[in-house]
Short mmCIF file of all heavy atoms in Angstrom, two decimals:
data_model
loop_
_atom_site.label_atom_id
_atom_site.label_comp_id
_atom_site.label_asym_id
_atom_site.label_seq_id
_atom_site.Cartn_x
_atom_site.Cartn_y
_atom_site.Cartn_z
N GLN A 9 -3.14 11.64 15.81
CA GLN A 9 -3.85 12.86 16.16
C GLN A 9 -3.73 13.87 15.05
O GLN A 9 -2.68 13.98 14.41
CB GLN A 9 -3.27 13.47 17.45
CG GLN A 9 -4.00 13.01 18.67
CD GLN A 9 -3.66 13.86 19.88
OE1 GLN A 9 -2.93 14.83 19.80
NE2 GLN A 9 -4.20 13.47 21.02
N GLN A 515 -20.54 32.24 26.09
CA GLN A 515 -21.29 31.02 26.37
C GLN A 515 -22.55 31.26 27.18
O GLN A 515 -23.38 30.37 27.31
CB GLN A 515 -20.39 30.03 27.10
CG GLN A 515 -19.87 30.59 28.41
CD GLN A 515 -18.77 29.74 29.00
OE1 GLN A 515 -18.93 28.55 29.14
NE2 GLN A 515 -17.65 30.36 29.32
N PHE A 516 -22.69 32.45 27.76
CA PHE A 516 -23.91 32.75 28.50
C PHE A 516 -24.81 33.70 27.71
O PHE A 516 -25.74 34.29 28.26
CB PHE A 516 -23.58 33.35 29.86
CG PHE A 516 -22.69 32.46 30.69
CD1 PHE A 516 -21.39 32.83 30.98
CD2 PHE A 516 -23.15 31.23 31.13
CE1 PHE A 516 -20.57 31.99 31.72
CE2 PHE A 516 -22.33 30.38 31.86
CZ PHE A 516 -21.04 30.77 32.16
N ALA A 557 -23.83 31.86 20.27
CA ALA A 557 -23.09 31.76 21.52
C ALA A 557 -21.96 30.75 21.34
O ALA A 557 -22.17 29.70 20.74
CB ALA A 557 -24.01 31.32 22.65
N ARG A 567 -12.87 20.66 17.81
CA ARG A 567 -11.55 20.08 17.55
C ARG A 567 -11.64 18.56 17.66
O ARG A 567 -11.10 17.82 16.84
CB ARG A 567 -10.54 20.61 18.56
CG ARG A 567 -9.17 19.98 18.41
CD ARG A 567 -8.37 20.06 19.70
NE ARG A 567 -9.12 19.53 20.82
CZ ARG A 567 -8.75 19.69 22.09
NH1 ARG A 567 -7.67 20.38 22.39
NH2 ARG A 567 -9.48 19.18 23.06
N ASN A 568 -12.36 18.09 18.67
CA ASN A 568 -12.52 16.65 18.84
C ASN A 568 -13.20 16.04 17.62
O ASN A 568 -12.87 14.93 17.19
CB ASN A 568 -13.35 16.34 20.09
CG ASN A 568 -12.64 16.80 21.36
OD1 ASN A 568 -11.49 17.24 21.31
ND2 ASN A 568 -13.32 16.69 22.48
N ASN A 571 -10.78 15.70 14.89
CA ASN A 571 -9.90 14.57 15.20
C ASN A 571 -10.60 13.23 14.96
O ASN A 571 -9.98 12.27 14.52
CB ASN A 571 -9.45 14.66 16.66
CG ASN A 571 -8.27 13.77 16.95
OD1 ASN A 571 -7.29 13.79 16.21
ND2 ASN A 571 -8.38 12.96 17.99
N LYS A 572 -11.89 13.22 15.22
CA LYS A 572 -12.68 12.01 15.00
C LYS A 572 -12.70 11.67 13.51
O LYS A 572 -12.49 10.52 13.12
CB LYS A 572 -14.11 12.24 15.50
CG LYS A 572 -14.98 11.00 15.46
CD LYS A 572 -14.60 10.04 16.56
CE LYS A 572 -15.46 8.78 16.50
NZ LYS A 572 -15.00 7.79 17.50
N ASN A 575 -9.32 10.33 12.50
CA ASN A 575 -9.05 8.94 12.87
C ASN A 575 -9.95 7.95 12.15
O ASN A 575 -9.52 6.83 11.86
CB ASN A 575 -9.15 8.79 14.39
CG ASN A 575 -7.85 9.16 15.04
OD1 ASN A 575 -6.83 8.51 14.82
ND2 ASN A 575 -7.86 10.23 15.81
N ARG A 578 -8.52 7.61 8.87
CA ARG A 578 -7.29 6.86 9.05
C ARG A 578 -7.60 5.35 9.14
O ARG A 578 -6.95 4.53 8.50
CB ARG A 578 -6.62 7.33 10.34
CG ARG A 578 -5.19 6.95 10.45
CD ARG A 578 -4.56 7.64 11.65
NE ARG A 578 -3.72 6.68 12.32
CZ ARG A 578 -4.01 6.05 13.43
NH1 ARG A 578 -5.14 6.34 14.06
NH2 ARG A 578 -3.21 5.16 13.93
N TRP A 636 -20.46 11.06 13.04
CA TRP A 636 -20.05 10.46 14.33
C TRP A 636 -20.97 9.30 14.73
O TRP A 636 -20.51 8.19 15.02
CB TRP A 636 -20.05 11.55 15.42
CG TRP A 636 -19.18 11.22 16.59
CD1 TRP A 636 -19.09 10.02 17.23
CD2 TRP A 636 -18.25 12.09 17.26
NE1 TRP A 636 -18.18 10.08 18.26
CE2 TRP A 636 -17.64 11.34 18.30
CE3 TRP A 636 -17.88 13.43 17.09
CZ2 TRP A 636 -16.69 11.89 19.17
CZ3 TRP A 636 -16.94 13.98 17.95
CH2 TRP A 636 -16.35 13.22 18.97
N ARG A 730 -26.92 -2.49 27.26
CA ARG A 730 -27.49 -1.92 28.46
C ARG A 730 -27.56 -2.98 29.57
O ARG A 730 -27.23 -2.70 30.71
CB ARG A 730 -28.89 -1.37 28.15
CG ARG A 730 -29.47 -0.57 29.30
CD ARG A 730 -30.63 0.26 28.83
NE ARG A 730 -31.85 -0.54 28.75
CZ ARG A 730 -33.06 -0.01 28.63
NH1 ARG A 730 -33.21 1.31 28.55
NH2 ARG A 730 -34.12 -0.77 28.55
N PRO A 739 -16.85 -3.63 29.45
CA PRO A 739 -17.09 -3.62 27.99
C PRO A 739 -16.29 -4.68 27.24
O PRO A 739 -16.80 -5.29 26.31
CB PRO A 739 -16.65 -2.21 27.58
CG PRO A 739 -16.80 -1.38 28.81
CD PRO A 739 -16.53 -2.29 29.97
N LYS A 807 -38.71 -0.30 35.57
CA LYS A 807 -38.74 1.04 34.96
C LYS A 807 -39.29 0.95 33.53
O LYS A 807 -40.14 1.75 33.12
CB LYS A 807 -37.32 1.62 34.93
CG LYS A 807 -37.31 3.09 34.58
CD LYS A 807 -35.93 3.63 34.41
CE LYS A 807 -36.05 4.98 33.71
NZ LYS A 807 -34.79 5.51 33.26
N GLU A 815 -47.37 4.20 28.23
CA GLU A 815 -47.54 4.28 26.79
C GLU A 815 -48.87 3.61 26.37
O GLU A 815 -49.64 4.17 25.60
CB GLU A 815 -46.35 3.56 26.13
CG GLU A 815 -46.38 3.46 24.63
CD GLU A 815 -46.06 4.77 23.94
OE1 GLU A 815 -45.66 5.71 24.64
OE2 GLU A 815 -46.23 4.84 22.72
N GLN A 827 -64.28 11.02 19.65
CA GLN A 827 -63.92 12.26 18.97
C GLN A 827 -62.61 12.09 18.21
O GLN A 827 -62.47 12.49 17.07
CB GLN A 827 -63.75 13.38 20.01
CG GLN A 827 -65.02 13.76 20.70
CD GLN A 827 -65.82 14.76 19.90
OE1 GLN A 827 -65.74 14.80 18.66
NE2 GLN A 827 -66.62 15.56 20.58
N PHE A 828 -61.65 11.47 18.93
CA PHE A 828 -60.33 11.25 18.31
C PHE A 828 -60.49 10.36 17.09
O PHE A 828 -59.98 10.65 16.02
CB PHE A 828 -59.38 10.61 19.32
CG PHE A 828 -58.06 10.19 18.75
CD1 PHE A 828 -57.06 11.14 18.51
CD2 PHE A 828 -57.80 8.87 18.42
CE1 PHE A 828 -55.84 10.76 17.98
CE2 PHE A 828 -56.58 8.48 17.88
CZ PHE A 828 -55.60 9.42 17.66
N LYS A 831 -62.17 12.33 14.25
CA LYS A 831 -61.59 13.57 13.74
C LYS A 831 -60.09 13.50 13.41
O LYS A 831 -59.61 14.28 12.58
CB LYS A 831 -61.83 14.70 14.74
CG LYS A 831 -63.30 15.08 14.80
CD LYS A 831 -63.54 16.28 15.67
CE LYS A 831 -65.00 16.67 15.61
NZ LYS A 831 -65.37 17.64 16.67
N PRO A 833 -56.67 12.39 11.75
CA PRO A 833 -56.37 11.82 10.43
C PRO A 833 -56.00 10.34 10.54
O PRO A 833 -55.51 9.89 11.57
CB PRO A 833 -55.19 12.66 9.94
CG PRO A 833 -54.72 13.45 11.09
CD PRO A 833 -55.79 13.49 12.11
P C B 11 -29.33 27.13 33.36
OP1 C B 11 -29.52 28.50 33.90
OP2 C B 11 -30.42 26.46 32.63
"O5'" C B 11 -28.04 27.15 32.44
"C5'" C B 11 -26.97 28.04 32.70
"C4'" C B 11 -26.00 27.98 31.54
"O4'" C B 11 -25.54 26.62 31.39
"C3'" C B 11 -26.62 28.30 30.18
"O3'" C B 11 -26.63 29.70 29.95
"C2'" C B 11 -25.68 27.57 29.23
"O2'" C B 11 -24.48 28.27 29.04
"C1'" C B 11 -25.39 26.30 30.02
N1 C B 11 -26.32 25.19 29.69
C2 C B 11 -26.10 24.47 28.51
O2 C B 11 -25.16 24.79 27.78
N3 C B 11 -26.92 23.45 28.20
C4 C B 11 -27.93 23.12 29.02
N4 C B 11 -28.70 22.10 28.68
C5 C B 11 -28.19 23.85 30.21
C6 C B 11 -27.36 24.87 30.52
P U B 12 -27.72 30.30 28.97
OP1 U B 12 -27.54 31.76 28.96
OP2 U B 12 -29.04 29.72 29.29
"O5'" U B 12 -27.26 29.73 27.56
"C5'" U B 12 -26.12 30.28 26.91
"C4'" U B 12 -25.91 29.57 25.60
"O4'" U B 12 -25.73 28.16 25.84
"C3'" U B 12 -27.09 29.63 24.64
"O3'" U B 12 -27.12 30.86 23.95
"C2'" U B 12 -26.80 28.45 23.73
"O2'" U B 12 -25.81 28.75 22.80
"C1'" U B 12 -26.24 27.42 24.73
N1 U B 12 -27.28 26.48 25.21
C2 U B 12 -27.53 25.37 24.43
O2 U B 12 -26.93 25.13 23.41
N3 U B 12 -28.50 24.53 24.92
C4 U B 12 -29.24 24.70 26.06
O4 U B 12 -30.08 23.87 26.38
C5 U B 12 -28.93 25.89 26.81
C6 U B 12 -27.99 26.72 26.37
P G B 15 -36.20 25.49 14.86
OP1 G B 15 -36.29 25.66 13.40
OP2 G B 15 -36.58 26.60 15.76
"O5'" G B 15 -37.07 24.22 15.29
"C5'" G B 15 -37.05 23.04 14.51
"C4'" G B 15 -37.75 21.94 15.26
"O4'" G B 15 -37.23 21.85 16.59
"C3'" G B 15 -39.25 22.14 15.44
"O3'" G B 15 -39.92 21.49 14.38
"C2'" G B 15 -39.57 21.44 16.75
"O2'" G B 15 -39.90 20.09 16.58
"C1'" G B 15 -38.26 21.55 17.52
N9 G B 15 -38.29 22.58 18.56
C8 G B 15 -37.81 23.86 18.46
N7 G B 15 -37.99 24.54 19.56
C5 G B 15 -38.64 23.67 20.42
C6 G B 15 -39.11 23.85 21.75
O6 G B 15 -39.02 24.85 22.45
N1 G B 15 -39.72 22.71 22.26
C2 G B 15 -39.87 21.53 21.55
N2 G B 15 -40.50 20.55 22.19
N3 G B 15 -39.44 21.35 20.31
C4 G B 15 -38.84 22.45 19.82
P G B 18 -46.95 17.99 15.39
OP1 G B 18 -45.79 18.16 16.26
OP2 G B 18 -46.84 18.13 13.95
"O5'" G B 18 -47.60 16.59 15.69
"C5'" G B 18 -47.00 15.85 16.72
"C4'" G B 18 -48.05 15.02 17.41
"O4'" G B 18 -49.37 15.38 16.99
"C3'" G B 18 -47.86 13.55 17.08
"O3'" G B 18 -47.38 12.96 18.28
"C2'" G B 18 -49.24 13.01 16.74
"O2'" G B 18 -49.66 12.07 17.72
"C1'" G B 18 -50.16 14.22 16.91
N9 G B 18 -51.16 14.46 15.87
C8 G B 18 -51.03 14.80 14.57
N7 G B 18 -52.17 15.04 13.96
C5 G B 18 -53.11 14.82 14.95
C6 G B 18 -54.53 14.92 14.91
O6 G B 18 -55.23 15.26 13.97
N1 G B 18 -55.10 14.61 16.13
C2 G B 18 -54.39 14.25 17.26
N2 G B 18 -55.10 13.98 18.35
N3 G B 18 -53.08 14.17 17.33
C4 G B 18 -52.51 14.46 16.14
P U B 19 -46.18 12.33 18.52
OP1 U B 19 -45.06 13.01 17.88
OP2 U B 19 -46.34 10.89 18.45
"O5'" U B 19 -46.44 12.78 19.93
"C5'" U B 19 -45.90 12.81 21.11
"C4'" U B 19 -45.72 11.54 21.90
"O4'" U B 19 -45.64 10.36 21.10
"C3'" U B 19 -44.42 11.61 22.67
"O3'" U B 19 -44.78 11.87 24.02
"C2'" U B 19 -43.80 10.26 22.58
"O2'" U B 19 -43.67 9.67 23.86
"C1'" U B 19 -44.83 9.43 21.77
N1 U B 19 -44.23 8.50 20.82
C2 U B 19 -43.86 7.27 21.32
O2 U B 19 -43.98 6.96 22.49
N3 U B 19 -43.33 6.43 20.38
C4 U B 19 -43.15 6.68 19.04
O4 U B 19 -42.67 5.81 18.33
C5 U B 19 -43.56 7.98 18.61
C6 U B 19 -44.07 8.83 19.50
P A B 22 -31.01 13.67 22.55
OP1 A B 22 -30.43 12.33 22.34
OP2 A B 22 -31.26 14.16 23.92
"O5'" A B 22 -30.10 14.74 21.80
"C5'" A B 22 -29.86 14.60 20.40
"C4'" A B 22 -29.01 15.74 19.93
"O4'" A B 22 -29.77 16.98 19.98
"C3'" A B 22 -27.79 16.02 20.79
"O3'" A B 22 -26.73 15.16 20.42
"C2'" A B 22 -27.49 17.47 20.42
"O2'" A B 22 -26.91 17.57 19.15
"C1'" A B 22 -28.91 18.05 20.36
N9 A B 22 -29.40 18.59 21.64
C8 A B 22 -30.22 17.98 22.53
N7 A B 22 -30.51 18.73 23.58
C5 A B 22 -29.82 19.90 23.35
C6 A B 22 -29.72 21.10 24.08
N6 A B 22 -30.34 21.31 25.24
N1 A B 22 -28.95 22.08 23.58
C2 A B 22 -28.33 21.89 22.41
N3 A B 22 -28.35 20.80 21.63
C4 A B 22 -29.13 19.84 22.15
P G B 23 -25.61 14.79 21.45
OP1 G B 23 -24.80 13.71 20.86
OP2 G B 23 -26.23 14.60 22.78
"O5'" G B 23 -24.75 16.11 21.51
"C5'" G B 23 -23.93 16.51 20.41
"C4'" G B 23 -23.32 17.84 20.71
"O4'" G B 23 -24.38 18.82 20.85
"C3'" G B 23 -22.59 17.92 22.04
"O3'" G B 23 -21.26 17.45 21.90
"C2'" G B 23 -22.64 19.41 22.33
"O2'" G B 23 -21.71 20.12 21.56
"C1'" G B 23 -24.06 19.75 21.86
N9 G B 23 -25.05 19.63 22.94
C8 G B 23 -25.86 18.56 23.20
N7 G B 23 -26.64 18.75 24.23
C5 G B 23 -26.32 20.03 24.68
C6 G B 23 -26.82 20.79 25.77
O6 G B 23 -27.69 20.46 26.58
N1 G B 23 -26.20 22.02 25.87
C2 G B 23 -25.22 22.47 25.02
N2 G B 23 -24.73 23.68 25.28
N3 G B 23 -24.73 21.78 24.00
C4 G B 23 -25.32 20.58 23.89
P C B 30 -13.95 -0.04 35.72
OP1 C B 30 -13.29 -1.05 36.55
OP2 C B 30 -13.49 1.36 35.79
"O5'" C B 30 -13.91 -0.52 34.22
"C5'" C B 30 -12.73 -0.34 33.48
"C4'" C B 30 -13.03 -0.54 32.03
"O4'" C B 30 -14.13 0.34 31.64
"C3'" C B 30 -11.89 -0.13 31.14
"O3'" C B 30 -10.98 -1.20 30.99
"C2'" C B 30 -12.60 0.24 29.85
"O2'" C B 30 -12.99 -0.90 29.12
"C1'" C B 30 -13.84 0.95 30.40
N1 C B 30 -13.64 2.40 30.62
C2 C B 30 -13.42 3.22 29.50
O2 C B 30 -13.38 2.71 28.37
N3 C B 30 -13.24 4.55 29.69
C4 C B 30 -13.28 5.05 30.92
N4 C B 30 -13.11 6.36 31.07
C5 C B 30 -13.52 4.25 32.08
C6 C B 30 -13.69 2.92 31.88
P U B 32 -8.10 -1.35 25.87
OP1 U B 32 -6.94 -2.27 25.66
OP2 U B 32 -8.16 -0.11 25.13
"O5'" U B 32 -9.43 -2.14 25.60
"C5'" U B 32 -9.39 -3.56 25.49
"C4'" U B 32 -10.27 -3.98 24.35
"O4'" U B 32 -11.61 -3.77 24.79
"C3'" U B 32 -10.14 -3.13 23.08
"O3'" U B 32 -9.15 -3.68 22.23
"C2'" U B 32 -11.54 -3.24 22.47
"O2'" U B 32 -11.64 -4.39 21.66
"C1'" U B 32 -12.42 -3.39 23.68
N1 U B 32 -13.24 -2.23 24.11
C2 U B 32 -12.98 -0.93 23.66
O2 U B 32 -12.10 -0.66 22.90
N3 U B 32 -13.80 0.04 24.17
C4 U B 32 -14.84 -0.14 25.03
O4 U B 32 -15.50 0.83 25.41
C5 U B 32 -15.05 -1.49 25.45
C6 U B 32 -14.28 -2.46 24.97
P A B 34 -8.54 -0.79 15.40
OP1 A B 34 -9.93 -1.03 15.81
OP2 A B 34 -7.88 -1.72 14.45
"O5'" A B 34 -8.45 0.67 14.76
"C5'" A B 34 -7.22 1.17 14.26
"C4'" A B 34 -7.28 2.67 14.23
"O4'" A B 34 -8.40 3.08 13.41
"C3'" A B 34 -7.53 3.31 15.59
"O3'" A B 34 -6.30 3.50 16.28
"C2'" A B 34 -8.17 4.64 15.19
"O2'" A B 34 -7.20 5.54 14.74
"C1'" A B 34 -9.03 4.22 14.00
N9 A B 34 -10.40 3.83 14.36
C8 A B 34 -10.87 2.60 14.69
N7 A B 34 -12.15 2.56 14.95
C5 A B 34 -12.55 3.88 14.77
C6 A B 34 -13.81 4.50 14.89
N6 A B 34 -14.92 3.86 15.22
N1 A B 34 -13.85 5.83 14.65
C2 A B 34 -12.73 6.47 14.32
N3 A B 34 -11.49 5.99 14.17
C4 A B 34 -11.47 4.67 14.41
P C B 35 -6.24 3.53 17.85
OP1 C B 35 -4.82 3.57 18.23
OP2 C B 35 -7.11 2.45 18.35
"O5'" C B 35 -6.92 4.93 18.23
"C5'" C B 35 -6.22 6.15 17.98
"C4'" C B 35 -7.18 7.28 18.11
"O4'" C B 35 -8.32 7.06 17.25
"C3'" C B 35 -7.81 7.46 19.49
"O3'" C B 35 -6.95 8.19 20.34
"C2'" C B 35 -9.06 8.26 19.16
"O2'" C B 35 -8.77 9.63 18.98
"C1'" C B 35 -9.46 7.67 17.80
N1 C B 35 -10.53 6.66 17.93
C2 C B 35 -11.86 7.10 17.84
O2 C B 35 -12.07 8.30 17.64
N3 C B 35 -12.87 6.21 17.95
C4 C B 35 -12.59 4.93 18.17
N4 C B 35 -13.62 4.07 18.28
C5 C B 35 -11.24 4.45 18.27
C6 C B 35 -10.25 5.35 18.14
P A B 37 -7.17 12.88 25.32
OP1 A B 37 -5.97 12.56 24.54
OP2 A B 37 -7.09 13.77 26.47
"O5'" A B 37 -8.30 13.45 24.35
"C5'" A B 37 -9.48 14.19 24.88
"C4'" A B 37 -10.35 14.47 23.67
"O4'" A B 37 -9.70 15.51 22.90
"C3'" A B 37 -10.43 13.22 22.80
"O3'" A B 37 -11.67 12.53 22.77
"C2'" A B 37 -9.63 13.55 21.51
"O2'" A B 37 -10.32 13.22 20.36
"C1'" A B 37 -9.33 15.03 21.62
N9 A B 37 -7.94 15.36 21.36
C8 A B 37 -6.82 15.02 22.07
N7 A B 37 -5.71 15.51 21.60
C5 A B 37 -6.13 16.24 20.48
C6 A B 37 -5.41 16.99 19.54
N6 A B 37 -4.10 17.18 19.59
N1 A B 37 -6.12 17.58 18.55
C2 A B 37 -7.44 17.41 18.52
N3 A B 37 -8.22 16.71 19.37
C4 A B 37 -7.49 16.15 20.33
P G B 38 -13.03 12.90 22.35
OP1 G B 38 -13.08 13.91 21.30
OP2 G B 38 -13.74 13.09 23.62
"O5'" G B 38 -13.52 11.53 21.72
"C5'" G B 38 -12.76 10.91 20.68
"C4'" G B 38 -12.49 9.46 21.00
"O4'" G B 38 -11.56 9.36 22.11
"C3'" G B 38 -13.65 8.64 21.50
"O3'" G B 38 -14.52 8.30 20.44
"C2'" G B 38 -12.93 7.43 22.07
"O2'" G B 38 -12.41 6.62 21.05
"C1'" G B 38 -11.77 8.12 22.78
N9 G B 38 -12.07 8.38 24.19
C8 G B 38 -12.17 9.60 24.82
N7 G B 38 -12.44 9.49 26.08
C5 G B 38 -12.54 8.12 26.31
C6 G B 38 -12.80 7.40 27.49
O6 G B 38 -13.03 7.84 28.62
N1 G B 38 -12.81 6.03 27.28
C2 G B 38 -12.57 5.43 26.08
N2 G B 38 -12.62 4.11 26.07
N3 G B 38 -12.31 6.09 24.96
C4 G B 38 -12.31 7.42 25.14
P C B 39 -16.05 8.14 20.70
OP1 C B 39 -16.70 8.03 19.38
OP2 C B 39 -16.55 9.12 21.68
"O5'" C B 39 -16.10 6.72 21.40
"C5'" C B 39 -15.72 5.57 20.68
"C4'" C B 39 -15.89 4.36 21.55
"O4'" C B 39 -14.97 4.44 22.68
"C3'" C B 39 -17.23 4.23 22.23
"O3'" C B 39 -18.23 3.74 21.35
"C2'" C B 39 -16.90 3.25 23.35
"O2'" C B 39 -16.71 1.94 22.85
"C1'" C B 39 -15.55 3.81 23.80
N1 C B 39 -15.71 4.80 24.89
C2 C B 39 -15.92 4.33 26.19
O2 C B 39 -15.97 3.10 26.39
N3 C B 39 -16.07 5.21 27.20
C4 C B 39 -16.02 6.51 26.94
N4 C B 39 -16.17 7.35 27.98
C5 C B 39 -15.82 7.03 25.63
C6 C B 39 -15.67 6.14 24.63
P G B 40 -19.74 4.24 21.53
OP1 G B 40 -20.48 3.77 20.34
OP2 G B 40 -19.80 5.67 21.91
"O5'" G B 40 -20.20 3.41 22.79
"C5'" G B 40 -20.32 2.01 22.69
"C4'" G B 40 -20.67 1.43 24.03
"O4'" G B 40 -19.59 1.67 24.96
"C3'" G B 40 -21.87 2.06 24.72
"O3'" G B 40 -23.10 1.62 24.17
"C2'" G B 40 -21.65 1.57 26.15
"O2'" G B 40 -21.93 0.20 26.27
"C1'" G B 40 -20.14 1.80 26.27
N9 G B 40 -19.85 3.14 26.79
C8 G B 40 -19.47 4.25 26.09
N7 G B 40 -19.32 5.31 26.85
C5 G B 40 -19.64 4.86 28.13
C6 G B 40 -19.67 5.56 29.37
O6 G B 40 -19.42 6.74 29.60
N1 G B 40 -20.07 4.72 30.42
C2 G B 40 -20.39 3.39 30.27
N2 G B 40 -20.75 2.75 31.39
N3 G B 40 -20.36 2.74 29.13
C4 G B 40 -19.98 3.52 28.11
P A B 41 -24.38 2.57 24.23
OP1 A B 41 -25.47 1.90 23.49
OP2 A B 41 -24.00 3.95 23.88
"O5'" A B 41 -24.73 2.55 25.78
"C5'" A B 41 -25.26 1.37 26.37
"C4'" A B 41 -25.36 1.55 27.86
"O4'" A B 41 -24.07 1.93 28.39
"C3'" A B 41 -26.27 2.68 28.33
"O3'" A B 41 -27.63 2.32 28.29
"C2'" A B 41 -25.76 2.86 29.75
"O2'" A B 41 -26.19 1.82 30.60
"C1'" A B 41 -24.24 2.75 29.54
N9 A B 41 -23.68 4.08 29.26
C8 A B 41 -23.31 4.63 28.07
N7 A B 41 -22.87 5.86 28.17
C5 A B 41 -22.97 6.14 29.52
C6 A B 41 -22.67 7.28 30.29
N6 A B 41 -22.18 8.40 29.77
N1 A B 41 -22.90 7.23 31.62
C2 A B 41 -23.39 6.11 32.15
N3 A B 41 -23.71 4.96 31.53
C4 A B 41 -23.47 5.05 30.21
P G B 42 -28.74 3.47 28.09
OP1 G B 42 -30.05 2.80 28.03
OP2 G B 42 -28.30 4.37 27.00
"O5'" G B 42 -28.63 4.29 29.46
"C5'" G B 42 -29.00 3.67 30.69
"C4'" G B 42 -28.63 4.55 31.85
"O4'" G B 42 -27.26 4.99 31.73
"C3'" G B 42 -29.40 5.85 31.98
"O3'" G B 42 -30.67 5.61 32.55
"C2'" G B 42 -28.49 6.63 32.93
"O2'" G B 42 -28.59 6.15 34.25
"C1'" G B 42 -27.11 6.25 32.39
N9 G B 42 -26.59 7.23 31.44
C8 G B 42 -26.43 7.10 30.08
N7 G B 42 -25.92 8.16 29.53
C5 G B 42 -25.72 9.05 30.57
C6 G B 42 -25.20 10.37 30.59
O6 G B 42 -24.77 11.03 29.63
N1 G B 42 -25.19 10.92 31.86
C2 G B 42 -25.64 10.27 32.99
N2 G B 42 -25.55 10.96 34.13
N3 G B 42 -26.12 9.03 33.00
C4 G B 42 -26.13 8.49 31.77
P G B 43 -31.88 6.62 32.29
OP1 G B 43 -33.11 5.92 32.70
OP2 G B 43 -31.77 7.18 30.94
"O5'" G B 43 -31.59 7.77 33.34
"C5'" G B 43 -31.59 7.49 34.75
"C4'" G B 43 -31.11 8.70 35.49
"O4'" G B 43 -29.76 9.02 35.06
"C3'" G B 43 -31.89 9.98 35.22
"O3'" G B 43 -33.04 10.03 36.04
"C2'" G B 43 -30.89 11.05 35.60
"O2'" G B 43 -30.79 11.23 36.99
"C1'" G B 43 -29.58 10.44 35.08
N9 G B 43 -29.23 10.90 33.74
C8 G B 43 -29.36 10.21 32.56
N7 G B 43 -28.93 10.89 31.52
C5 G B 43 -28.50 12.09 32.05
C6 G B 43 -27.93 13.23 31.42
O6 G B 43 -27.69 13.39 30.22
N1 G B 43 -27.65 14.23 32.33
C2 G B 43 -27.88 14.16 33.69
N2 G B 43 -27.55 15.23 34.40
N3 G B 43 -28.40 13.10 34.30
C4 G B 43 -28.68 12.11 33.42
P C B 55 -62.93 19.41 18.37
OP1 C B 55 -63.66 18.78 17.24
OP2 C B 55 -63.62 20.25 19.36
"O5'" C B 55 -62.14 18.27 19.14
"C5'" C B 55 -62.81 17.46 20.10
"C4'" C B 55 -61.89 16.34 20.53
"O4'" C B 55 -61.64 15.47 19.40
"C3'" C B 55 -60.50 16.78 20.96
"O3'" C B 55 -60.49 17.18 22.31
"C2'" C B 55 -59.68 15.52 20.74
"O2'" C B 55 -59.88 14.57 21.76
"C1'" C B 55 -60.31 14.99 19.44
N1 C B 55 -59.60 15.45 18.24
C2 C B 55 -58.34 14.89 17.93
O2 C B 55 -57.87 14.05 18.70
N3 C B 55 -57.70 15.29 16.84
C4 C B 55 -58.25 16.21 16.02
N4 C B 55 -57.58 16.58 14.96
C5 C B 55 -59.52 16.80 16.31
C6 C B 55 -60.16 16.39 17.41
#
Side-chain angles (χ1 to χ4, degrees):
Chain A
Q9 267 194 4
Q515 59 191 308
F516 303 113
R567 176 203 52 192
N568 296 354
N571 195 49
K572 186 74 181 175
N575 275 297
R578 197 171 138 256
W636 203 316
R730 188 164 81 166
K807 192 186 165 190
E815 177 75 8
Q827 294 275 28
F828 173 78
K831 291 186 176 167

